[in-house]
Amino acid sequence: MLQAMLAGVASIKAQQTRMNVIGNNLANVNTTAYKKNRVSFTDMMSQTVRGATRPNGSLGGLNPVQYGLGVLVSGTDTDTLQGSLNATNRPTDFAIQGSGFFLISNGDRTAFTRDGTFDLDAAGYLVHRSTGERLLGWSADPSDGSIDTNNPINGSSVLQIPIGARTAVQQTSDVTWAGNLDARSFTTTGTSTVSSVVRIVDPLGGEHDVTLTLTESATPNQWTWAVSAQAPTTVSGTGTLTFDPTNGMLSAGSPGTITVSPGAATGIAPFDVDMDFSAFSQLSTDTQVQAANQNGYSPGSLQSFTVGADGVVTGIYTNGLTRSLGQIAMAVFTNPNGLERIGNNQWRESENSGIPAIGTPRTGGRGIINSGFLEQSNVDIGTEFTDMIVTQRGFQANTRVVTTVDEMLQDLINIKR
């Protein structure tokens, strides 16, 4: 009888553990990116009263006689099922669709989280809102915005978005022109002209409007070009464009070079700008000439940023420039159920989780990042309430076992009066 009581007590303890897990799941029903737990039971060691025997010539075999000694909690599993996404419209809220984890660091260690509630601190770093730990990733080269994702990620690989910081000036060194010169406009007198204006940036960020004028030559399929500017800026440069009459494409005259002189009062030395006309054509359609691109930009301040599905942080400047500022790193594990919770929606790797495979979003099964969204808890209230009822009934049944055995023992003691 004592075995029955001890089995009932073991079951009561197991059901209490399960109820603790259910209570914790329900407590975190609204916790960002929370992953629910599940309790698994296993039967305890059985006492063998008689072992099994083989059949022999005249007798059949006998099964073993065993008595179970109760139940044990075999483990608590984490359900890594994707939670639903909730729109927040905050650009620093990130939700992962996939199996990846964000990497955050407090300077001493690196932790992993699915909680994408980040914000900018006073220094411009992306930090976890509840702990202040910094988000890790690759910073872009400030000169051209290139990102080298081959660099290793460590605690110092923090992402900084310096809102209000000024950009460096870039002098214009190349202008690409595009458009069409109407083949029907040939007059044999060389009087047909077309003009377009491009804004050139000098080494100090000053802007100078340069006018390109194309004049039809007396020679068929040939145009001459020249440039001009308003004082005090002066500009010099000229050339000839020749088009192939069989297809209307440029056959000679690209590229050319002009020299821009901002003026003696500025103290800026004259500088050269390449003129690329390779995208020009001469077809029998309307004339249209414009500068498709110029690679200079004047000073501007970072006013906002966006985060793409691939984790690239793109800065938007007041001068119209857009440039990559960095890229968020993500990690995946061979066995994410093996991760250990350390509180604050954070995890750390364990002996059975495997080492983190760190890389960029949209690669290696890490998933994509949704800016302006947060992942919700994957706790299902209906399932938890159902499990709660089953657990309660299991607990009640085993308390009945304990009280019944107690009554039986009392009757046994009362035999002797």
Side-chain angles (χ1 to χ4, degrees):
M1 285 188 292
L2 285 177
Q3 288 181 351
M5 177 177 286
L6 293 175
V9 171
S11 180
I12 289 173
K13 292 180 178 179
Q15 300 299 335
Q16 286 176 335
T17 300
R18 189 182 190 190
M19 186 61 74
N20 290 340
V21 171
I22 293 173
N24 184 64
N25 286 341
L26 289 172
N28 287 280
V29 69
N30 290 319
T31 300
T32 303
Y34 177 79
K35 303 302 178 184
K36 67 180 181 179
N37 278 356
R38 180 188 65 180
V39 175
S40 300
F41 294 149
T42 184
D43 62 327
M44 200 181 294
M45 180 186 301
S46 295
Q47 178 181 353
T48 302
V49 178
R50 184 187 66 197
T53 60
R54 292 182 180 182
N56 54 36
S58 59
L59 293 175
L62 296 176
N63 293 328
V65 177
Q66 294 180 299
Y67 300 110
L69 300 179
V71 66
L72 290 174
V73 175
S74 62
T76 55
D77 304 320
T78 301
D79 186 349
T80 57
L81 182 69
Q82 172 82 47
S84 60
L85 304 188
N86 179 43
T88 64
N89 298 319
R90 288 177 59 97
T92 54
D93 283 343
F94 308 135
I96 299 174
Q97 274 186 291
S99 302
F101 290 81
F102 296 114
L103 290 84
I104 56 177
S105 176
N106 61 5
D108 296 325
R109 60 100 181 98
T110 297
F112 307 91
T113 184
R114 297 272 300 185
D115 182 358
T117 53
F118 294 98
D119 213 339
L120 288 178
D121 66 6
Y125 292 104
L126 277 170
V127 298
H128 199 228
R129 201 174 300 158
S130 60
T131 64
E133 297 188 29
R134 292 173 176 174
L135 180 64
L136 302 184
W138 296 273
S139 295
D141 187 330
S143 64
D144 59 7
S146 61
I147 302 173
D148 186 1
T149 56
N150 293 318
N151 291 330
I153 293 294
N154 52 48
S156 62
S157 304
V158 294
L159 289 174
Q160 188 176 24
I161 303 176
I163 297 293
R166 289 192 175 275
T167 64
V169 174
Q170 179 166 302
Q171 170 192 312
T172 300
S173 61
D174 181 78
V175 177
T176 301
W177 295 90
N180 179 71
L181 298 171
D182 193 347
R184 300 168 299 182
S185 65
F186 182 63
T187 62
T188 72
T189 61
T191 58
S192 180
T193 62
V194 60
S195 298
S196 185
V197 178
V198 62
R199 185 157 291 176
I200 303 295
V201 180
D202 65 33
L204 299 184
E207 297 178 340
H208 310 271
D209 288 339
V210 174
T211 301
L212 172 73
T213 302
L214 296 109
T215 303
E216 187 180 30
S217 171
T219 303
N221 305 310
Q222 192 176 86
W223 294 70
T224 61
W225 61 268
V227 288
S228 60
Q230 293 185 345
T233 303
T234 60
V235 60
S236 61
T238 186
T240 302
L241 305 179
T242 302
F243 294 90
D244 187 339
T246 63
N247 58 20
M249 296 296 102
L250 191 69
S251 60
S254 180
T257 301
I258 64 173
T259 300
V260 180
S261 300
T266 64
I268 302 173
F271 59 93
D272 293 338
V273 178
D274 292 332
M275 309 287 275
D276 185 355
F277 301 103
S278 59
F280 267 172
S281 63
Q282 183 180 258
L283 302 173
S284 297
T285 186
D286 294 341
T287 295
Q288 182 179 2
V289 174
Q290 62 183 7
N293 181 62
Q294 66 88 16
N295 64 346
Y297 54 83
S298 56
S301 298
L302 180 64
Q303 63 178 357
S304 62
F305 65 94
T306 61
V307 178
D310 57 358
V312 174
V313 183
T314 302
I316 302 173
Y317 294 83
T318 55
N319 59 1
L321 176 70
T322 59
R323 172 170 288 180
S324 297
L325 303 176
Q327 188 169 12
I328 297 172
M330 287 174 61
V332 288
F333 293 86
T334 304
N335 176 29
N337 287 335
L339 293 170
E340 294 181 2
R341 298 179 191 263
I342 58 176
N344 294 316
N345 287 348
Q346 297 178 13
W347 309 74
R348 66 183 174 195
E349 60 184 290
S350 71
E351 295 295 333
N352 198 39
S353 66
I355 61 174
I358 301 173
T360 61
R362 302 184 76 172
T363 64
R366 297 176 183 87
I368 64 174
I369 294 178
N370 295 276
S371 177
F373 291 83
L374 287 177
E375 182 183 3
Q376 301 301 292
S377 169
N378 68 353
V379 174
D380 180 70
I381 296 178
T383 300
E384 298 301 320
F385 279 175
T386 302
D387 290 344
M388 185 186 298
I389 294 172
V390 173
T391 303
Q392 181 184 14
R393 294 308 180 193
F395 184 90
Q396 289 175 337
N398 283 277
T399 57
R400 295 294 184 270
V401 171
V402 174
T403 57
T404 301
V405 172
D406 180 59
E407 291 173 359
M408 293 173 68
L409 289 172
Q410 184 64 40
D411 292 338
L412 186 61
I413 293 173
N414 287 338
I415 291 177
K416 175 64 177 173
R417 291 286 185 178

